[in-house]
Amino acid sequence: MTDMNEEGRPAPGRIAVLGGGSFGTALASIAATKGARVRQWMRDAALADEITARHHNSRYLPDIELHESLRASTCMQWVLEDAELVLIAIPSGHFRTVVRQARPWLKADQVLLSTTKGIEESTFSLMSEILVEETPSRHIGVLSGPNLASELAARHVTATVVASDDGYTRAAAQASLSCDYFRVYASNDRYGAELGGALKNIYAIGVGMAAAMGMGANTKSMLITRALAEMSRFAVNLGASPLTFLGLAGVGDLIVTCSSELSRNYRIGFAVGQGVALEDAVASLGQVAEGVNTVRLVHERAEREGIYMPLASGLYHVLFNGVPPSEMGLSLMRSEHSSDVEFTLSRQDAQRDHHTLSKTNQESRS
């Protein structure tokens, strides 16, 4: 291949994709258009045959023609043998299991990239942390950004972030996936970028609820902006950089997930806002909506860590405690007075100002 990474090596020419869903398939097709040999693993033999023979994934991307050189199989060994770059697009609930299944054919010099935007329930691990624990690879990173799979597969112009503390990983992803309609930007905050991708799913559910209840543009804008404040507050408490949330993996991903009816989590929220039971909304979707599980995990972690997250808390009570959706917004509107951007004016300073005001008023009345 002619593309070169920043160390002067050729871009990976042999790429494996684990996962047969919409995003994994879209990335596999992009990589194939770049001239790489791309093999895709999935459990569904009929779907694998369809991708290989007919160049379609009728279950997840029914209207998209995939690159003719893409090959799919249920044989993990065949897909992974001599692969230089492995993209892992497996739902968080099955991520560790599939990685362990792949482990015999993973090597230290392979680049492993997670595309999954979720959190493991039993450990609160992000997917790249699972890759560190379960594989020998020295080159681990994540892809995260405003990347609705159907639009990406249809070649609508968009961008993503490859986040890793390893320069070779960043460069390999950029050289292998960047094209005329998909641009890959680099970040060294793997944890922040990955956490942003997981957290934004929570708030897409909330905005979907608000839309179903007829809320206007002002409300949606407020929810998205306060969501960004909560996301960054939570992530910074866990060690991420707040600046990451100003980029594609933060506000970029948040906007698209909260604004599009193509978003699974938005659709779940919209259904719940219309009065549909959560279980029925999830069942009718037919795909994994990571945000439902993430709401619970993040709410519980925030409670333990003492992190102020009124929106996430409100969503938790709506989804799991039977609170009416209308109460979600009230939980924010009735919460304590606070600052707008707390990295310029802290919440503590805003609270101190109100304490001073209250004290002054008491003194003036006495």
Side-chain angles (χ1 to χ4, degrees):
M1 297 179 63
T2 56
D3 286 330
M4 305 289 285
N5 62 39
E6 65 186 15
E7 297 180 359
R9 304 184 199 177
R14 298 182 300 277
I15 296 176
V17 178
L18 303 185
S22 54
F23 193 54
T25 302
L27 288 175
S29 191
I30 287 176
T33 66
K34 296 276 291 180
R37 187 208 73 188
V38 184
R39 295 175 178 177
Q40 185 177 6
W41 174 84
M42 59 195 65
R43 297 186 187 278
D44 189 327
L47 192 59
D49 291 342
E50 180 186 44
I51 289 173
T52 299
R54 296 175 49 202
H55 319 306
H56 282 277
N57 184 332
S58 60
R59 181 175 180 183
Y60 295 108
L61 295 171
D63 301 321
I64 302 298
E65 183 172 354
L66 305 174
H67 195 274
E68 62 183 10
S69 71
L70 175 60
R71 297 290 180 268
S73 173
T74 60
C75 178
M76 182 83 75
Q77 181 177 359
W78 180 78
V79 168
L80 288 172
E81 66 180 3
D82 71 8
E84 299 164 285
L85 170 64
V86 182
L87 297 164
I88 307 169
I90 301 294
S92 62
H94 304 286
F95 194 93
R96 190 183 294 269
T97 298
V98 172
V99 169
R100 285 177 174 173
Q101 185 179 347
R103 174 64 179 83
W105 303 287
L106 297 178
K107 304 175 182 65
D109 59 351
Q110 284 174 317
V111 175
L112 305 184
L113 294 178
S114 168
T115 73
T116 301
K117 298 175 179 179
I119 300 170
E120 186 177 50
E121 181 171 0
S122 60
T123 66
F124 206 85
S125 294
L126 301 180
M127 302 305 104
S128 69
E129 294 177 313
I130 294 175
L131 293 178
V132 171
E133 294 171 9
E134 299 286 351
T135 78
S137 176
R138 299 189 302 267
H139 307 296
I140 289 173
V142 301
L143 283 180
S144 190
N147 306 140
L148 296 172
S150 57
E151 291 189 2
L152 180 58
R155 302 192 175 192
H156 295 183
V157 173
T158 189
T160 197
V161 172
V162 55
S164 176
D165 54 8
D166 171 52
Y168 177 61
T169 298
R170 298 192 298 265
Q174 289 180 301
S176 299
L177 297 173
S178 291
C179 60
D180 289 345
Y181 58 91
F182 188 54
R183 183 167 175 81
V184 182
Y185 289 88
S187 168
N188 61 359
D189 183 14
R190 188 187 78 199
Y191 188 72
E194 193 169 16
L195 196 53
L199 292 173
K200 54 85 184 179
N201 289 325
I202 293 175
Y203 303 102
I205 296 174
V207 175
M209 285 184 191
M213 292 185 290
M215 300 297 178
N218 284 346
T219 305
K220 294 174 188 175
S221 177
M222 177 191 71
L223 289 174
I224 292 172
T225 307
R226 296 319 303 164
L228 184 64
E230 282 197 14
M231 288 168 59
S232 56
R233 180 187 308 129
F234 184 84
V236 168
N237 269 273
L238 269 61
S241 168
L243 298 179
T244 297
F245 290 80
L246 299 178
L248 289 164
V251 67
D253 201 3
L254 177 66
I255 289 172
V256 74
T257 311
C258 291
S259 303
S260 174
E261 294 179 4
L262 296 174
S263 162
R264 303 170 195 173
N265 294 285
Y266 178 96
R267 285 151 59 191
I268 290 289
F270 194 91
V272 171
Q274 290 181 313
V276 178
L278 176 62
E279 296 79 8
D280 295 335
V282 171
S284 65
L285 185 65
Q287 300 184 55
V288 175
E290 293 279 2
V292 174
N293 191 50
T294 305
V295 169
R296 181 172 53 80
L297 294 176
V298 168
H299 169 73
E300 293 171 354
R301 182 66 178 266
E303 288 283 295
R304 289 199 305 271
E305 302 282 344
I307 305 171
Y308 179 62
M309 299 186 75
L311 273 178
S313 177
L315 277 168
Y316 170 81
H317 291 298
V318 170
L319 294 179
F320 299 105
N321 290 337
V323 172
S326 58
E327 293 295 317
M328 176 191 66
L330 289 176
S331 69
L332 175 64
M333 302 305 289
R334 293 173 177 173
S335 61
E336 64 189 27
H337 291 288
S338 190
S339 59
D340 180 20
V341 180
E342 60 193 73
F343 301 110
T344 58
L345 175 67
S346 72
R347 286 181 57 246
Q348 290 76 14
D349 285 343
Q351 291 165 358
R352 187 178 63 246
D353 293 341
H354 279 273
H355 177 73
T356 301
L357 175 65
S358 177
K359 183 178 180 181
T360 301
N361 288 339
Q362 289 176 353
E363 290 173 350
S364 67
R365 288 193 296 267
S366 60

